[in-house]
Amino acid sequence: MDNQNEKKPTLEEAFTQIEAILTQMEEPEISLEEAFALYQQGVLQLKNCGTILDEVEKKMQILGEDGEIEEM
């Protein structure tokens, strides 16, 4: 499979997925195995959020006074 063709989720989509995971984890009937699998999914989504925020921060750092992204 070609990972470059996969659409990266937006920050908002990742937050929505994290919220859904938290809601599922709060269910009283959830098994330990299910909770752990959801936890792993949540950690991956949080890493995704960190990557997205890092990319935005880098773009902000190279944004010129005229609002154009400067080549480094």
Side-chain angles (χ1 to χ4, degrees):
M1 275 194 241
D2 190 2
N3 288 342
Q4 292 180 352
N5 290 337
E6 290 182 26
K7 180 184 170 276
K8 290 184 180 181
T10 65
L11 194 57
E12 291 81 11
E13 291 170 338
F15 283 149
T16 299
Q17 291 176 359
I18 291 169
E19 287 176 14
I21 289 168
L22 288 172
T23 300
Q24 291 175 338
M25 289 181 74
E26 290 173 347
E27 293 293 325
E29 307 86 33
I30 192 166
S31 71
L32 181 59
E33 292 83 9
E34 291 170 324
F36 185 69
L38 288 168
Y39 173 79
Q40 287 178 309
Q41 290 175 18
V43 168
L44 289 175
Q45 287 304 319
L46 288 172
K47 285 182 182 180
N48 241 356
C49 291
T51 300
I52 293 168
L53 291 172
D54 286 344
E55 290 172 6
V56 170
E57 182 180 18
K58 286 176 188 174
K59 288 179 183 177
M60 293 290 292
Q61 289 175 349
I62 59 173
L63 195 62
E65 290 178 14
D66 58 359
E68 296 293 321
I69 294 179
E70 297 177 1
E71 298 279 335
M72 293 193 113

